Amino acid sequence: MGCCTGRCTLIFLCTLQLLAALERQVFDFLGYQWAPILANFLHIIIVILGLFGTIQYRPRYIVVYAIWTAVWVTWNIFIICFYLEVGGLSKDSELLTFNISRHQSWWSENGPGCVRKEASMSGIKGLDNHSYISVIGCALEYRYIEVMHSSFQILIALVGFVYACYVVSVFTEEEDSFDFIGGFDPFPLYHVNEKPTNLLFKQTYLLLFPNRFSGMEGMNKLTPEWLKLPFLSSRIILNSVASRN
């Protein structure tokens, strides 16, 4: 396959997906988003598997990658619905942190143009060691940044799914054509030609000398034909002489 084929395009898409997933994983770690961290980890493993299968011509690995892309698209649709608060979901819930902490997306305090301010709460009883954090001046809300991340992941995954199906079909056709011409035949061609020849010698000798066939049994299929021919010729001559006498 040349460089401008679907295989090379799929390699590029897998590499792009891998870089995008690593970038997203870093920011999810900073925001302690445990559910996305686990999903990103699985995604990275499957993308590496698909990349390996594409490079090494392993269609089964690419099939696993294609199936995972469908799951990955579903997950990112859920993330979009979560941050846009669709279907009763709330971006302020602790669903993505497994109710372990109240952390939100890292972009909620570190987005473009955001200014983070802390105000002490020393005047309130029981909250002397706490502070109130406010974020102002954000050019873009963090939920839209997360939506853009998920939308980009969906776009790459859909294109990768299409090319994965195409590459699998190409690999399968090549394997079928290779099988058809005998590419996976464990017996070389000379074995096929050798067996009828050996059988012909034995059948000829059996017809001429039915009582002496045991002499040819010592010659197996590994015996060279040039050694069998003189043996058979000498037997024929001796038998002719004996019959005349």
Side-chain angles (χ1 to χ4, degrees):
M1 283 184 156
C3 263
C4 296
T5 58
R7 173 174 170 265
C8 293
T9 305
L10 184 58
I11 291 175
F12 170 76
L13 289 172
C14 288
T15 304
L16 185 61
Q17 273 188 306
L18 190 60
L19 294 175
L22 290 173
E23 178 266 340
R24 192 175 186 181
Q25 184 77 313
V26 170
F27 291 113
D28 285 336
F29 262 115
L30 294 174
Y32 301 99
Q33 304 294 295
W34 302 115
I37 287 172
L38 292 177
N40 293 333
F41 181 73
L42 290 175
H43 181 60
I44 291 171
I45 293 177
I46 301 298
V47 170
I48 292 175
L49 185 66
L51 184 61
F52 175 79
T54 307
I55 295 174
Q56 296 295 325
Y57 297 91
R58 304 291 180 86
R60 292 183 180 179
Y61 295 166
I62 304 177
V63 170
V64 174
Y65 164 79
I67 295 173
W68 170 255
T69 54
V71 179
W72 185 244
V73 168
T74 305
W75 166 255
N76 281 277
I77 291 174
F78 166 75
I79 294 296
I80 292 175
C81 294
F82 177 82
Y83 282 107
L84 294 180
E85 299 182 336
V86 177
L89 298 172
S90 174
K91 62 182 176 57
D92 297 324
S93 66
E94 302 174 5
L95 184 62
L96 298 183
T97 60
F98 295 138
N99 296 323
I100 297 176
S101 62
R102 297 187 61 84
H103 290 90
Q104 292 182 336
S105 172
W106 182 83
W107 297 103
S108 62
E109 298 179 4
N110 301 275
C114 293
V115 179
R116 185 172 182 270
K117 292 185 177 182
E118 295 186 9
S120 61
M121 304 178 68
S122 56
I124 303 177
K125 185 178 180 181
L127 298 176
D128 295 336
N129 297 327
H130 294 74
S131 60
Y132 176 77
I133 300 175
S134 61
V135 180
I136 58 175
C138 293
L140 186 65
E141 288 188 41
Y142 73 94
R143 61 175 180 170
Y144 296 121
I145 297 177
E146 293 288 354
V147 167
M148 286 190 295
H149 270 93
S150 296
S151 301
F152 182 67
Q153 292 286 343
I154 291 174
L155 178 62
I156 304 177
L158 290 176
V159 179
F161 176 81
V162 173
Y163 273 95
C165 295
Y166 170 72
V167 171
V168 168
S169 64
V170 171
F171 285 178
T172 304
E173 290 177 1
E174 290 181 353
E175 288 183 356
D176 292 342
S177 61
F178 193 63
D179 285 339
F180 179 75
I181 64 176
F184 293 105
D185 188 5
F187 300 101
L189 186 59
Y190 67 85
H191 281 183
V192 179
N193 293 333
E194 179 186 18
K195 187 174 181 181
T197 306
N198 184 44
L199 183 61
L200 179 61
F201 272 105
K202 288 187 176 182
Q203 289 177 347
T204 305
Y205 192 80
L206 179 61
L207 291 174
L208 294 175
F209 314 104
N211 297 327
R212 300 179 184 178
F213 183 69
S214 59
M216 281 293 290
E217 287 300 321
M219 296 187 180
N220 53 25
K221 64 180 180 180
L222 298 179
T223 305
E225 302 299 334
W226 60 268
L227 187 60
K228 295 178 181 180
L229 187 58
F231 178 82
L232 183 59
S233 300
S234 63
R235 288 289 185 179
I236 294 174
I237 293 171
L238 290 176
N239 185 66
S240 299
V241 173
S243 62
R244 289 179 181 178
N245 295 332

Tab-separated table of all heavy atoms in Angstrom, residues 121-161:
chain	number	residue	atom	x	y	z
A	121	MET	N	-12.758	34.111	54.842
A	121	MET	CA	-14.045	34.012	55.535
A	121	MET	C	-13.811	33.962	57.031
A	121	MET	O	-14.431	33.217	57.767
A	121	MET	CB	-14.787	32.761	55.053
A	121	MET	CG	-14.983	32.736	53.536
A	121	MET	SD	-15.792	31.236	52.960
A	121	MET	CE	-17.427	31.428	53.648
A	122	SER	N	-12.889	34.784	57.489
A	122	SER	CA	-12.524	34.771	58.913
A	122	SER	C	-13.634	35.306	59.796
A	122	SER	O	-13.714	35.000	60.984
A	122	SER	CB	-11.249	35.614	59.134
A	122	SER	OG	-11.447	36.939	58.642
A	123	GLY	N	-14.511	36.112	59.242
A	123	GLY	CA	-15.580	36.690	60.051
A	123	GLY	C	-16.708	35.722	60.335
A	123	GLY	O	-17.588	36.004	61.162
A	124	ILE	N	-16.718	34.582	59.636
A	124	ILE	CA	-17.799	33.624	59.817
A	124	ILE	C	-17.330	32.522	60.764
A	124	ILE	O	-16.258	31.944	60.573
A	124	ILE	CB	-18.228	33.027	58.454
A	124	ILE	CG1	-18.651	34.166	57.506
A	124	ILE	CG2	-19.358	32.030	58.636
A	124	ILE	CD1	-19.015	33.689	56.124
A	125	LYS	N	-18.107	32.226	61.762
A	125	LYS	CA	-17.738	31.231	62.755
A	125	LYS	C	-17.652	29.832	62.143
A	125	LYS	O	-18.550	29.402	61.433
A	125	LYS	CB	-18.772	31.242	63.899
A	125	LYS	CG	-18.405	30.317	65.043
A	125	LYS	CD	-19.421	30.399	66.159
A	125	LYS	CE	-19.051	29.469	67.303
A	125	LYS	NZ	-20.046	29.522	68.414
A	126	GLY	N	-16.577	29.172	62.432
A	126	GLY	CA	-16.365	27.811	61.943
A	126	GLY	C	-15.729	27.745	60.572
A	126	GLY	O	-15.383	26.657	60.095
A	127	LEU	N	-15.555	28.889	59.918
A	127	LEU	CA	-14.960	28.906	58.576
A	127	LEU	C	-13.732	29.813	58.537
A	127	LEU	O	-13.426	30.430	57.520
A	127	LEU	CB	-15.979	29.394	57.534
A	127	LEU	CG	-17.237	28.520	57.372
A	127	LEU	CD1	-18.199	29.174	56.382
A	127	LEU	CD2	-16.870	27.107	56.909
A	128	ASP	N	-13.017	29.878	59.662
A	128	ASP	CA	-11.861	30.777	59.733
A	128	ASP	C	-10.746	30.344	58.778
A	128	ASP	O	-9.990	31.183	58.281
A	128	ASP	CB	-11.317	30.823	61.167
A	128	ASP	CG	-12.336	31.452	62.114
A	128	ASP	OD1	-13.179	32.224	61.620
A	128	ASP	OD2	-12.279	31.151	63.323
A	129	ASN	N	-10.600	29.054	58.582
A	129	ASN	CA	-9.511	28.549	57.745
A	129	ASN	C	-9.910	28.373	56.285
A	129	ASN	O	-9.153	27.812	55.482
A	129	ASN	CB	-9.006	27.205	58.280
A	129	ASN	CG	-8.417	27.338	59.674
A	129	ASN	OD1	-7.834	28.373	60.014
A	129	ASN	ND2	-8.596	26.295	60.489
A	130	HIS	N	-11.110	28.801	55.929
A	130	HIS	CA	-11.592	28.661	54.567
A	130	HIS	C	-11.572	30.011	53.855
A	130	HIS	O	-11.493	31.061	54.486
A	130	HIS	CB	-13.019	28.091	54.549
A	130	HIS	CG	-13.094	26.682	55.055
A	130	HIS	ND1	-12.988	26.363	56.388
A	130	HIS	CD2	-13.272	25.502	54.395
A	130	HIS	CE1	-13.107	25.048	56.554
A	130	HIS	NE2	-13.273	24.505	55.346
A	131	SER	N	-11.643	29.951	52.565
A	131	SER	CA	-11.670	31.174	51.757
A	131	SER	C	-12.670	31.000	50.617
A	131	SER	O	-12.886	29.884	50.120
A	131	SER	CB	-10.289	31.505	51.197
A	131	SER	OG	-9.817	30.439	50.374
A	132	TYR	N	-13.255	32.101	50.195
A	132	TYR	CA	-14.213	32.083	49.103
A	132	TYR	C	-13.486	32.438	47.813
A	132	TYR	O	-12.778	33.447	47.736
A	132	TYR	CB	-15.343	33.094	49.372
A	132	TYR	CG	-16.328	33.202	48.243
A	132	TYR	CD1	-17.289	32.221	48.044
A	132	TYR	CD2	-16.287	34.303	47.371
A	132	TYR	CE1	-18.200	32.322	47.001
A	132	TYR	CE2	-17.196	34.404	46.336
A	132	TYR	CZ	-18.139	33.405	46.162
A	132	TYR	OH	-19.031	33.500	45.127
A	133	ILE	N	-13.631	31.595	46.804
A	133	ILE	CA	-12.944	31.794	45.533
A	133	ILE	C	-13.959	32.238	44.498
A	133	ILE	O	-15.002	31.604	44.309
A	133	ILE	CB	-12.258	30.488	45.067
A	133	ILE	CG1	-11.223	30.040	46.105
A	133	ILE	CG2	-11.598	30.675	43.706
A	133	ILE	CD1	-10.596	28.703	45.787
A	134	SER	N	-13.643	33.314	43.843
A	134	SER	CA	-14.503	33.814	42.764
A	134	SER	C	-13.671	33.955	41.494
A	134	SER	O	-12.491	34.284	41.547
A	134	SER	CB	-15.121	35.168	43.138
A	134	SER	OG	-14.095	36.135	43.343
A	135	VAL	N	-14.316	33.659	40.378
A	135	VAL	CA	-13.644	33.737	39.082
A	135	VAL	C	-14.420	34.726	38.219
A	135	VAL	O	-15.634	34.575	38.018
A	135	VAL	CB	-13.597	32.358	38.397
A	135	VAL	CG1	-12.886	32.456	37.053
A	135	VAL	CG2	-12.888	31.348	39.287
A	136	ILE	N	-13.715	35.738	37.729
A	136	ILE	CA	-14.364	36.764	36.917
A	136	ILE	C	-13.548	36.999	35.641
A	136	ILE	O	-12.379	36.619	35.551
A	136	ILE	CB	-14.503	38.090	37.700
A	136	ILE	CG1	-13.121	38.581	38.145
A	136	ILE	CG2	-15.422	37.912	38.894
A	136	ILE	CD1	-13.161	39.954	38.813
A	137	GLY	N	-14.196	37.637	34.697
A	137	GLY	CA	-13.502	38.068	33.484
A	137	GLY	C	-13.239	36.977	32.461
A	137	GLY	O	-12.426	37.174	31.552
A	138	CYS	N	-13.893	35.837	32.568
A	138	CYS	CA	-13.641	34.746	31.619
A	138	CYS	C	-14.183	35.111	30.241
A	138	CYS	O	-15.345	35.520	30.102
A	138	CYS	CB	-14.301	33.459	32.100
A	138	CYS	SG	-13.563	32.785	33.601
A	139	ALA	N	-13.339	34.974	29.231
A	139	ALA	CA	-13.766	35.255	27.866
A	139	ALA	C	-14.704	34.179	27.333
A	139	ALA	O	-15.544	34.448	26.482
A	139	ALA	CB	-12.544	35.389	26.954
A	140	LEU	N	-14.559	32.980	27.869
A	140	LEU	CA	-15.398	31.859	27.424
A	140	LEU	C	-15.667	30.951	28.611
A	140	LEU	O	-14.739	30.597	29.356
A	140	LEU	CB	-14.688	31.068	26.304
A	140	LEU	CG	-15.480	29.957	25.618
A	140	LEU	CD1	-16.668	30.547	24.858
A	140	LEU	CD2	-14.586	29.179	24.667
A	141	GLU	N	-16.917	30.627	28.820
A	141	GLU	CA	-17.258	29.752	29.939
A	141	GLU	C	-16.604	28.377	29.775
A	141	GLU	O	-16.461	27.875	28.665
A	141	GLU	CB	-18.773	29.585	30.044
A	141	GLU	CG	-19.488	30.814	30.553
A	141	GLU	CD	-20.952	30.532	30.819
A	141	GLU	OE1	-21.261	29.439	31.366
A	141	GLU	OE2	-21.782	31.376	30.477
A	142	TYR	N	-16.247	27.786	30.913
A	142	TYR	CA	-15.530	26.522	30.877
A	142	TYR	C	-16.359	25.400	30.254
A	142	TYR	O	-15.814	24.475	29.644
A	142	TYR	CB	-15.086	26.124	32.287
A	142	TYR	CG	-16.184	25.642	33.190
A	142	TYR	CD1	-16.478	24.289	33.311
A	142	TYR	CD2	-16.933	26.540	33.952
A	142	TYR	CE1	-17.484	23.832	34.146
A	142	TYR	CE2	-17.941	26.107	34.790
A	142	TYR	CZ	-18.211	24.750	34.881
A	142	TYR	OH	-19.215	24.303	35.710
A	143	ARG	N	-17.669	25.469	30.396
A	143	ARG	CA	-18.492	24.390	29.843
A	143	ARG	C	-18.427	24.369	28.319
A	143	ARG	O	-18.480	23.307	27.700
A	143	ARG	CB	-19.930	24.529	30.311
A	143	ARG	CG	-20.627	25.803	29.913
A	143	ARG	CD	-22.084	25.751	30.326
A	143	ARG	NE	-22.807	26.969	29.951
A	143	ARG	CZ	-24.116	27.085	30.032
A	143	ARG	NH1	-24.846	26.064	30.471
A	143	ARG	NH2	-24.702	28.214	29.690
A	144	TYR	N	-18.277	25.540	27.711
A	144	TYR	CA	-18.160	25.574	26.253
A	144	TYR	C	-16.797	25.045	25.796
A	144	TYR	O	-16.682	24.476	24.701
A	144	TYR	CB	-18.388	26.994	25.738
A	144	TYR	CG	-19.787	27.509	26.004
A	144	TYR	CD1	-19.993	28.659	26.755
A	144	TYR	CD2	-20.911	26.832	25.508
A	144	TYR	CE1	-21.275	29.135	27.010
A	144	TYR	CE2	-22.193	27.291	25.756
A	144	TYR	CZ	-22.368	28.442	26.509
A	144	TYR	OH	-23.644	28.894	26.763
A	145	ILE	N	-15.788	25.255	26.617
A	145	ILE	CA	-14.469	24.685	26.295
A	145	ILE	C	-14.536	23.162	26.337
A	145	ILE	O	-13.997	22.472	25.450
A	145	ILE	CB	-13.401	25.212	27.285
A	145	ILE	CG1	-13.274	26.728	27.149
A	145	ILE	CG2	-12.057	24.537	27.028
A	145	ILE	CD1	-12.299	27.351	28.144
A	146	GLU	N	-15.214	22.623	27.349
A	146	GLU	CA	-15.377	21.174	27.440
A	146	GLU	C	-16.221	20.641	26.273
A	146	GLU	O	-15.942	19.556	25.739
A	146	GLU	CB	-16.033	20.806	28.767
A	146	GLU	CG	-15.178	21.082	29.995
A	146	GLU	CD	-14.018	20.113	30.121
A	146	GLU	OE1	-13.924	19.158	29.331
A	146	GLU	OE2	-13.200	20.313	31.031
A	147	VAL	N	-17.225	21.389	25.880
A	147	VAL	CA	-18.062	20.978	24.747
A	147	VAL	C	-17.238	20.948	23.466
A	147	VAL	O	-17.371	20.031	22.641
A	147	VAL	CB	-19.274	21.912	24.606
A	147	VAL	CG1	-19.977	21.701	23.274
A	147	VAL	CG2	-20.260	21.683	25.743
A	148	MET	N	-16.361	21.940	23.277
A	148	MET	CA	-15.518	21.963	22.082
A	148	MET	C	-14.543	20.791	22.081
A	148	MET	O	-14.287	20.181	21.031
A	148	MET	CB	-14.762	23.294	22.001
A	148	MET	CG	-15.641	24.462	21.583
A	148	MET	SD	-14.698	25.952	21.203
A	148	MET	CE	-13.991	26.327	22.810
A	149	HIS	N	-13.999	20.462	23.254
A	149	HIS	CA	-13.115	19.300	23.359
A	149	HIS	C	-13.855	18.022	22.929
A	149	HIS	O	-13.342	17.224	22.136
A	149	HIS	CB	-12.615	19.144	24.802
A	149	HIS	CG	-11.348	19.883	25.081
A	149	HIS	ND1	-11.334	21.142	25.587
A	149	HIS	CD2	-10.041	19.516	24.923
A	149	HIS	CE1	-10.087	21.551	25.733
A	149	HIS	NE2	-9.280	20.588	25.329
A	150	SER	N	-15.047	17.834	23.466
A	150	SER	CA	-15.821	16.632	23.153
A	150	SER	C	-16.252	16.608	21.686
A	150	SER	O	-16.245	15.549	21.053
A	150	SER	CB	-17.049	16.543	24.063
A	150	SER	OG	-16.667	16.393	25.412
A	151	SER	N	-16.607	17.761	21.150
A	151	SER	CA	-17.013	17.819	19.738
A	151	SER	C	-15.854	17.451	18.823
A	151	SER	O	-16.036	16.733	17.824
A	151	SER	CB	-17.528	19.217	19.390
A	151	SER	OG	-18.635	19.565	20.201
A	152	PHE	N	-14.663	17.905	19.158
A	152	PHE	CA	-13.484	17.559	18.363
A	152	PHE	C	-13.202	16.060	18.438
A	152	PHE	O	-12.856	15.420	17.437
A	152	PHE	CB	-12.275	18.356	18.861
A	152	PHE	CG	-11.018	18.096	18.083
A	152	PHE	CD1	-10.905	18.497	16.764
A	152	PHE	CD2	-9.951	17.441	18.680
A	152	PHE	CE1	-9.742	18.250	16.047
A	152	PHE	CE2	-8.795	17.184	17.971
A	152	PHE	CZ	-8.682	17.595	16.648
A	153	GLN	N	-13.363	15.486	19.627
A	153	GLN	CA	-13.171	14.047	19.790
A	153	GLN	C	-14.193	13.256	18.967
A	153	GLN	O	-13.859	12.228	18.358
A	153	GLN	CB	-13.289	13.666	21.264
A	153	GLN	CG	-12.175	14.190	22.148
A	153	GLN	CD	-10.877	13.438	21.957
A	153	GLN	OE1	-10.859	12.338	21.410
A	153	GLN	NE2	-9.786	14.024	22.406
A	154	ILE	N	-15.429	13.717	18.938
A	154	ILE	CA	-16.469	13.034	18.153
A	154	ILE	C	-16.143	13.095	16.671
A	154	ILE	O	-16.271	12.093	15.942
A	154	ILE	CB	-17.839	13.669	18.436
A	154	ILE	CG1	-18.284	13.347	19.863
A	154	ILE	CG2	-18.884	13.177	17.441
A	154	ILE	CD1	-19.557	14.047	20.279
A	155	LEU	N	-15.680	14.255	16.203
A	155	LEU	CA	-15.361	14.413	14.782
A	155	LEU	C	-14.243	13.458	14.353
A	155	LEU	O	-14.358	12.755	13.336
A	155	LEU	CB	-14.964	15.861	14.509
A	155	LEU	CG	-14.541	16.181	13.067
A	155	LEU	CD1	-15.698	15.930	12.108
A	155	LEU	CD2	-14.055	17.631	12.971
A	156	ILE	N	-13.164	13.409	15.145
A	156	ILE	CA	-12.053	12.516	14.794
A	156	ILE	C	-12.489	11.063	14.867
A	156	ILE	O	-12.098	10.236	14.030
A	156	ILE	CB	-10.852	12.760	15.735
A	156	ILE	CG1	-10.425	14.211	15.700
A	156	ILE	CG2	-9.679	11.876	15.349
A	156	ILE	CD1	-9.296	14.528	16.658
A	157	ALA	N	-13.284	10.725	15.882
A	157	ALA	CA	-13.714	9.336	16.049
A	157	ALA	C	-14.584	8.878	14.880
A	157	ALA	O	-14.452	7.746	14.410
A	157	ALA	CB	-14.472	9.177	17.361
A	158	LEU	N	-15.474	9.737	14.403
A	158	LEU	CA	-16.332	9.356	13.284
A	158	LEU	C	-15.528	9.141	12.006
A	158	LEU	O	-15.738	8.165	11.281
A	158	LEU	CB	-17.397	10.433	13.053
A	158	LEU	CG	-18.485	10.550	14.135
A	158	LEU	CD1	-19.416	11.716	13.835
A	158	LEU	CD2	-19.271	9.251	14.242
A	159	VAL	N	-14.586	10.039	11.746
A	159	VAL	CA	-13.731	9.861	10.567
A	159	VAL	C	-12.868	8.612	10.718
A	159	VAL	O	-12.678	7.847	9.765
A	159	VAL	CB	-12.862	11.116	10.346
A	159	VAL	CG1	-11.949	10.925	9.139
A	159	VAL	CG2	-13.731	12.353	10.145
A	160	GLY	N	-12.353	8.399	11.937
A	160	GLY	CA	-11.550	7.199	12.181
A	160	GLY	C	-12.348	5.922	12.015
A	160	GLY	O	-11.828	4.919	11.517
A	161	PHE	N	-13.616	5.946	12.394
A	161	PHE	CA	-14.469	4.764	12.227
A	161	PHE	C	-14.647	4.428	10.747
A	161	PHE	O	-14.564	3.263	10.347
A	161	PHE	CB	-15.828	5.022	12.875
A	161	PHE	CG	-16.816	3.909	12.683
A	161	PHE	CD1	-16.778	2.784	13.488
A	161	PHE	CD2	-17.783	3.982	11.691
A	161	PHE	CE1	-17.688	1.741	13.321
A	161	PHE	CE2	-18.698	2.954	11.506
A	161	PHE	CZ	-18.641	1.838	12.319
